[in-house]
Every structure is written in structure tokens, then in C-alpha cells.
Amino acid sequence: MPPGVDETVRPVDPLKYQRREVNAAAAQSGEVATVKLRFKQPDGETSVERAIVAYDAGGSWTQASSELRFAAAVASFGMILRDSPQRGTATLALVNQLAQSAGAFDPNGHRAAFLAMVAKTQPLLATPIASAE
């Protein structure tokens, strides 16, 4: 326990999706995550917990909002740059496709700048990084 923290504080909840029977039931219902929030009103003494369950609606990427498609492109780009094992089959071509499909709304030019950065990255990833000897 951190210094000054009462040891009678309730521990963190057990992991919900680690139990096989819960995970199987969640998968059948389309449940993908549970987000728990705990907060106090500004003048409150007692905290309140809210749990929100997220479900996979079964939609395709073409039905996803432009914001979600662009966010997925940016996240995938970051995972590619870090060579993350969580990137799955993400490629710069997919990043480019997702970002371009995110729509034309770009009042500050950030999406266009992102697409330009992705294009400039392709030759860099194709070239092995030289070691500093």
C-alpha cells in the first residue's frame, strides 16, 4: 500500500474476463469490455461507481464513424512504428486506407498532415536501420 493509504480500502475488483465461463458468456452476447468509473460529486463525501458494458454491434468498418476510422489509423500507425506485436496484420497501406476513408472533414489540416507523414514513412520502414558503430 502507498504511504498514507488506509489498508482497509477495498482491493481492486477481480478480472472479469479471465474466468472461462464469464468470457464464453460475454463472447456469445457480443460483450467486449466493461468500463468502471468511480467519482464523487464536488461537495460529496461518498464515491459512486458506474459500470458501462460495451458491445460489438457487428458492424463493418464502412459503418464506423469517420472519427473511429481515423483514430484506428493513428493507433495502427503508432503500433507499426514501434513494431508492436499487437499491431496484428496492420500495414501502412491499411493505415492510409483507413485515414483516407475517414472523410474530408479536416478544418485544420491535421488529417492531411497525417497522411503526408504516413507517405513519408514508407521508404524509411523499407530501409534497415544502420547500427551506430
Side-chain angles (χ1 to χ4, degrees):
M1 287 295 205
V5 173
D6 182 1
E7 290 190 21
T8 62
V9 172
R10 188 182 94 174
V12 175
D13 294 345
L15 297 175
K16 178 178 181 181
Y17 299 105
Q18 298 302 312
R19 295 192 318 268
R20 187 169 300 175
E21 66 280 359
V22 173
N23 198 18
Q28 279 208 318
S29 71
E31 183 178 333
V32 293
T34 300
V35 178
K36 290 186 177 183
L37 306 170
R38 184 171 288 282
F39 62 93
K40 285 184 190 177
Q41 295 296 335
D43 58 351
E45 295 291 324
T46 308
S47 66
V48 177
E49 182 180 282
R50 296 281 191 258
I52 301 155
V53 178
Y55 293 92
D56 180 355
S60 69
W61 274 108
T62 57
Q63 296 170 310
S65 71
S66 62
E67 290 80 11
L68 178 61
R69 289 194 306 266
F70 189 73
V74 172
S76 296
F77 185 60
M79 288 189 281
I80 289 168
L81 291 178
R82 292 185 60 132
D83 197 23
S84 169
Q86 281 74 38
R87 77 181 181 280
T89 58
T91 62
L92 288 180
L94 175 66
V95 167
N96 193 49
Q97 177 186 359
L98 285 172
Q100 286 187 353
S101 76
F105 180 74
D106 192 12
N108 299 313
H110 298 307
R111 291 182 184 197
F114 175 75
L115 283 165
M117 184 171 42
V118 170
K120 289 178 183 177
T121 303
Q122 180 62 54
L124 298 174
L125 291 181
T127 305
I129 299 173
S131 63
E133 293 182 36

